[in-house]
Amino acid sequence: MMKAATSAPGKVILFGEHFVVYDRPAIVSAIHLRARIEAWIHDQPGVWIGSRRLVNHPASRAIEYVFEKAGFTSGVTLKISSSIPSSVGLGSSASIAVASAGTTSLITLGRIDEELVKLAAGEGEKIIHFNPSGIDTSIALYGGGGLYTRSRGFTHIEIPLKKILIIDTGKTRKTGEMVKRVKEFMEKNKERFDKILKREEELIEEALDAFRSLDLERLGRLMLENQSLLREVGVSSLEIEEAVKIALDAGAYGAKLTGAGGGGCVICLADEDRIEGISKIISNRFKVYLTELSADGLREEKI
Ligand code: PMV
């Protein structure tokens, strides 16, 4: 193929970020915000956006990986369009890496090779993340909802929630730095960290159970407990705490940071018939996205 396009979704981690780096399970869902990558071949080697050569970027690294495996020596020009805000915990770079690998898999092999895309996007993520668990690239590739563990990979699960409210604190941060912060906490507080990991594992089991019975009140309480564990390991922030408080005061069942924290986004759980009203109240202070869950994973798009 001379030209192709794919798109991949952003994500919210509902439970378990950071602890997933230490091989504990996390619950994640794709959201209806997407990144689209269109690419076309030319003779000039390398990855280009207009006249600018893209180097050391998740997209270019993912594409170079696909090219190496496919023995492809030409270059490509990309057009990136994304509705996922970057550096706020919604998986923007992972979806760009996955869609970049997906589009070049179509160009070089004539099909989307999922295994190749997963490896290529993982290489792309390493450029900006410190020790990525792989959760972001897995959900961007497979879509829907899932339980992810580093050693066991991704398993689809049904997430019986239609919508989630995402509060953007507007403060950007680097995932790698936040992951390092947790590592420092672990090194200084080994025994406590082991206890936190154990509690987090139980909390995930309880959350899966609460999803099955659609017990929103219980889910909300579990979210708040997850938030307090994240606060303890040092990845909350004043903005996050303020967003959680505003959400609870507005009538949400629970709220917690999502993704790496330190700013970024907070997710907020509320009754379906109250969620729009709650969203309005929060929007007096923060930018909010009311988005649907369980979106499609990587898919081919028309050019
Ligand atoms: O990069 P973010 O903000 O979408 O967060 C990634 C999730 C972490 O658990 C913090 C890191 C990881 O690799 O799993």
Side-chain angles (χ1 to χ4, degrees):
M1 261 186 223
M2 294 299 286
K3 202 172 177 185
T6 66
S7 74
K11 63 95 195 25
V12 285
I13 298 180
L14 297 163
F15 290 96
E17 52 275 276
H18 283 293
F19 308 118
V20 70
V21 172
Y22 299 88
D23 205 22
R24 295 312 185 277
I27 303 174
V28 62
S29 174
I31 54 174
H32 281 257
L33 297 173
R34 304 185 75 82
R36 179 182 191 277
I37 305 284
E38 190 173 319
W40 53 97
I41 303 178
H42 49 70
D43 296 333
Q44 184 95 328
V47 179
W48 299 81
I49 293 187
S51 59
R52 183 166 67 97
R53 185 164 182 180
L54 204 61
V55 282
N56 230 7
H57 184 280
S60 58
R61 182 65 201 109
I63 291 170
E64 282 154 14
Y65 187 92
V66 174
F67 282 180
E68 277 156 32
K69 295 293 166 196
F72 191 82
T73 51
S74 311
V76 284
T77 291
L78 301 184
K79 192 170 143 200
I80 303 179
S81 27
S82 175
S83 56
I84 312 166
S86 65
S87 306
V88 290
L90 301 182
S92 156
S93 67
S95 61
I96 287 175
V98 164
S100 297
T103 298
T104 33
S105 171
L106 273 172
I107 286 177
T108 54
L109 307 173
R111 66 190 168 84
I112 293 177
D113 179 332
E114 286 194 347
E115 202 46 41
L116 178 62
V117 169
K118 192 167 89 183
L119 294 171
E123 287 301 308
E125 279 282 274
K126 279 187 198 158
I127 291 198
I128 51 164
H129 282 213
F130 167 75
N131 192 13
S133 68
I135 189 170
D136 285 16
T137 44
S138 294
I139 191 69
L141 174 59
Y142 301 120
L147 185 69
Y148 179 84
T149 311
R150 204 166 182 158
S151 56
R152 274 167 281 158
F154 183 86
T155 320
H156 269 297
I157 58 167
E158 188 71 29
I159 295 186
L161 291 176
K162 281 213 186 85
K163 287 183 177 170
I164 196 121
L165 197 60
I166 301 171
I167 309 171
D168 186 348
T169 66
K171 186 177 174 198
T172 58
R173 75 290 171 281
K174 292 201 168 80
T175 297
E177 282 168 17
M178 304 314 294
V179 172
K180 278 186 191 150
R181 202 183 275 185
V182 176
K183 185 166 177 266
E184 279 160 24
F185 177 92
M186 178 203 59
E187 283 163 357
K188 285 192 195 127
N189 308 276
K190 282 220 159 62
E191 266 178 39
R192 178 63 194 144
F193 195 67
D194 281 348
K195 287 204 174 103
I196 291 174
L197 289 181
K198 190 161 179 295
R199 179 61 199 135
E200 181 67 28
E201 219 167 345
E202 291 163 3
L203 205 144
I204 298 285
E205 281 305 315
E206 289 171 32
L208 289 172
D209 192 50
F211 273 123
R212 282 189 285 270
S213 55
L214 205 56
D215 185 342
L216 295 188
E217 271 187 59
R218 187 172 174 214
L219 275 172
R221 281 197 302 277
L222 292 168
M223 267 189 178
L224 289 172
E225 189 181 346
N226 196 161
Q227 169 62 19
S228 76
L229 297 178
L230 289 162
R231 183 187 308 121
E232 192 178 342
V233 299
V235 293
S236 191
S237 73
L238 289 176
E239 300 81 1
I240 292 171
E241 296 301 324
E242 186 189 353
V244 169
K245 183 170 183 317
I246 292 179
L248 295 179
D249 289 348
Y253 288 122
K256 62 176 270 297
L257 69 85
T258 188
C265 286
V266 164
I267 49 169
C268 157
L269 186 71
D271 261 334
E272 226 172 278
D273 50 353
R274 297 188 61 199
I275 204 162
E276 295 210 4
I278 293 175
S279 165
K280 269 206 187 101
I281 296 173
I282 300 171
S283 68
N284 290 324
R285 170 67 181 92
F286 292 111
K287 183 167 186 177
V288 289
Y289 301 87
L290 184 53
T291 169
E292 280 172 38
L293 293 171
S294 303
D296 286 348
L298 176 66
R299 66 178 187 221
E300 186 172 358
E301 296 286 349
K302 286 205 184 83
I303 300 176

